[in-house]
Amino acid sequence: MNEPAREPACATPDRLATLVDAVTWIRANRTEAVKMIADKFKITPAEANGTYETLVSMFNKDGRLPPKIARGYLDLLRQERSVPADIDPQKFLDFSMLPGGR
């Protein structure tokens, strides 16, 4: 029996909007977010605070992936695969499905 084609989980505007909303909530509710991180991963508040900082630093306020972060991902990928040094991540980023990008 053939499975119906599925849309990639991260490829719908509604899901991207939900992610942006979640990050917005996390930014607006730092104390509660840090406590949730500490409780979920059973780490100290200081460790949870560091995790919070890492998490929010990965996202711009509008959900776009900062070019510096994209270049960092490419650097990590180069450790595993052959990726040309002159690739411009800006050529591969599509923000049209983000809220406000439509």
Side-chain angles (χ1 to χ4, degrees):
M1 180 179 201
N2 290 337
E3 291 282 325
R6 294 182 190 217
E7 191 170 334
C10 64
T12 66
D14 290 342
R15 289 183 180 140
L16 292 172
T18 300
L19 175 61
V20 170
D21 289 347
V23 173
T24 300
W25 184 90
I26 289 168
R27 287 179 189 275
N29 298 280
R30 180 186 183 120
T31 301
E32 190 172 350
V34 168
K35 184 179 180 332
M36 290 170 71
I37 292 167
D39 292 347
K40 171 71 178 169
F41 297 105
K42 300 186 183 354
I43 56 178
T44 68
E47 292 168 322
N49 193 56
T51 300
Y52 171 90
E53 288 294 329
T54 300
L55 175 66
V56 298
S57 72
M58 293 186 327
F59 295 96
N60 283 349
K61 290 183 181 180
D62 66 358
R64 294 173 187 260
L65 181 68
K68 180 179 178 182
I69 300 294
R71 283 189 290 277
Y73 287 144
L74 283 174
D75 290 343
L76 288 172
L77 186 59
R78 283 186 185 101
Q79 295 174 12
E80 305 268 328
R81 297 186 169 98
S82 176
V83 178
D86 62 347
I87 284 186
D88 179 5
Q90 294 287 108
K91 292 181 180 180
F92 300 101
L93 302 176
D94 176 8
F95 300 118
S96 65
M97 290 194 294
L98 288 173
R102 293 179 237 151

